[in-house]
Amino acid sequence: MSERRSFSAEDARNLLRRARTATLATLNADDGIPYGSLVNVATDVRGLPLLLISTLAWHTRNLMADPRASLMVAEVPSSGDALTGPRVSVMGRFVKVEDGSVRRRYLARHPAAELYAGFGDFAFWRMEAEQAHAAVSYT
C-alpha cells in the first residue's frame, strides 16, 4: 500500500517560489465559463503570486470583470505519471499593483519580460490569496 508523504505549508510556499510558470484559471467575462491559460509567475516577499499581463489577453479582461481566480503550479516528474509530482493551487482575488518592488522581483525572475514591462497595455497583478490546496506524490 502506498503511503502519503506530508506536504507542509512551507513546502507549498517553496514550490510556489520555485515556479516559473503556472496555469491561471479565470472566469470568462462573457459567460462565466472557466478559462485556463499559461502564465509566467513570480512571488512577492510574502510569497504571494505576481503576474505581468496585457489587457489584450483574455485572462486580463476576465480579471478586470471578476478578480476571482486560481493559480496552479506543479513540478512534473521527468518520467512516469505527471500526477505524482508536487503541486499547489492558490485561490483568491487578483489586484493590479504599481509597486517598484513588485516590478523588481518579477523582472529578477523573468528578465526577458523587461522588453514589454513598460508597454502601456501591460501591468503587474498580485493575487491576494484566500485559500490553497497542495498535493504531493505517493511513495
Side-chain angles (χ1 to χ4, degrees):
M1 175 174 249
S2 295
E3 184 176 317
R4 186 169 184 172
R5 295 185 301 156
S6 65
F7 197 66
S8 69
E10 179 82 11
D11 292 331
R13 280 190 293 275
N14 288 335
L15 177 59
L16 189 56
R17 285 189 191 278
R18 287 192 306 269
R20 295 186 44 78
T21 61
T23 300
L24 172 65
T26 58
L27 298 172
N28 191 308
D30 294 331
D31 54 21
I33 293 174
Y35 171 73
S37 57
L38 181 65
V39 294
N40 286 330
V41 65
T43 57
D44 70 5
V45 295
R46 297 178 296 157
L48 296 174
L50 302 172
L51 306 177
L52 173 62
I53 51 180
S54 167
T55 55
L56 301 176
W58 275 17
H59 50 236
T60 309
R61 286 183 259 161
N62 293 343
L63 290 175
M64 291 187 319
D66 185 339
R68 294 178 298 163
S70 68
L71 193 73
M72 185 191 74
V73 300
E75 289 180 347
V76 178
S78 59
S79 64
D81 187 348
L83 298 179
T84 63
R87 56 201 177 275
V88 63
S89 293
V90 183
M91 295 148 277
R93 297 170 194 276
F94 273 92
V95 295
K96 194 173 175 180
V97 292
E98 294 183 25
D99 178 337
S101 67
V102 164
R103 179 184 178 87
R104 284 188 298 279
R105 285 189 65 94
Y106 187 90
L107 294 177
R109 190 77 171 127
H110 301 284
E114 181 76 46
L115 295 171
Y116 49 87
F119 291 178
D121 63 307
F122 277 84
F124 292 96
W125 292 70
R126 176 178 38 231
M127 177 183 263
E128 299 299 334
E130 297 174 11
Q131 56 183 303
H133 177 263
V136 69
S137 64
Y138 291 87
T139 58

